[in-house]
Amino acid sequence: RGIERWTGLIMVGDGLAGLIWPREYLRKLKVGPEPLNEILEALAERPELTRVLCAVEVAIGSWIFTR
């Protein structure tokens, strides 16, 4: 139960950062293999899509945290 709550909380925080700063936040996430970084850069170029995906992440994280 504890790990689920932490997972939800991290998802909410990550999603909120992406909602507030979609381009800047994604460009600072230089992690993993090059294909992942290419996806992050493509999302950074589409801030509206990024905000929608981050809103979904916040919703799912909230659901995980409160269930």
Side-chain angles (χ1 to χ4, degrees), residues 26-46:
L26 289 173
R27 287 194 171 132
K28 290 180 191 231
L29 291 177
K30 297 296 180 191
V31 296
E34 188 58 33
L36 176 61
N37 288 321
E38 290 171 2
I39 292 169
L40 293 175
E41 183 59 33
L43 285 170
E45 293 297 321
R46 295 167 182 85

Side-chain angles (χ1 to χ4, degrees), residues 13-26:
D14 184 62
L16 287 175
L19 276 169
I20 297 168
W21 307 288
R23 286 188 175 120
E24 298 84 356
Y25 182 66
L26 289 173

